[in-house]
Amino acid sequence: MRSTGSRCGQTAWMESLLSQHPYAAVVALTGELDAHTVGRLRSLLAEQLLAGPGNLVIDLSGLTFIDSAGLAVLIAADKGVRRAGTRMVLAAPLAPVSKVLSLTGLDAVLTTTRTVDEALALLGPDPRETSG
């Protein structure tokens, strides 16, 4: 459920929507991911990791802001899925979020694609495994 509040930085809000796809769970984020909203995402991602190994796509196409607390949750989630032997992909970051990822160097560490479809294709079965 979306929490309401001022969008001018006084009260941050974030909404997340989880959907399952054949090769990954997709978490679509809308709003601002900061120290005030990061707890909800941390809980959701922890639930996904506990549910069993599986790939994860974080859809950033609706995220307008991210701070260091948000980045820390993404880094922790990436470490968690790697320990489980799976992968996480960030998809479709808007310009402000993409700029933060670039400035922090995380765009070189965390796999990022332009679209959710590209992320899902990246996580799909290896064509060599399905042929022949």
Side-chain angles (χ1 to χ4, degrees), residues 5-6 36 39 51 59 67-68 81 109 113 120 123-124 131:
S6 169
H36 299 289
D59 177 359
D67 71 1
S68 60
V81 296
V109 176
T113 61
L120 291 170
L123 296 172
S131 64

Side-chain angles (χ1 to χ4, degrees), residues 75-121:
I75 292 165
D78 186 61
K79 287 179 181 178
V81 296
R82 287 177 190 265
R83 277 192 300 268
T86 57
R87 297 176 63 195
M88 182 181 87
V89 177
L90 304 179
L94 295 175
V97 173
S98 185
K99 183 176 181 177
V100 171
L101 292 171
S102 177
L103 288 172
T104 59
L106 288 175
D107 59 342
V109 176
L110 301 175
T111 304
T112 305
T113 61
R114 291 177 298 173
T115 67
V116 171
D117 287 340
E118 285 180 17
L120 291 170

Side-chain angles (χ1 to χ4, degrees), residues 32-75:
E32 300 176 356
L33 183 56
D34 63 13
H36 299 289
T37 61
V38 75
R40 286 177 269 165
L41 180 60
R42 184 181 298 117
S43 296
L44 177 63
L45 295 177
E47 288 173 14
Q48 284 302 299
L49 289 172
L50 288 174
N55 294 317
L56 189 59
V57 173
I58 309 293
D59 177 359
L60 303 174
S61 63
L63 197 68
T64 57
F65 176 82
I66 190 168
D67 71 1
S68 60
L71 294 174
V73 168
L74 295 179
I75 292 165

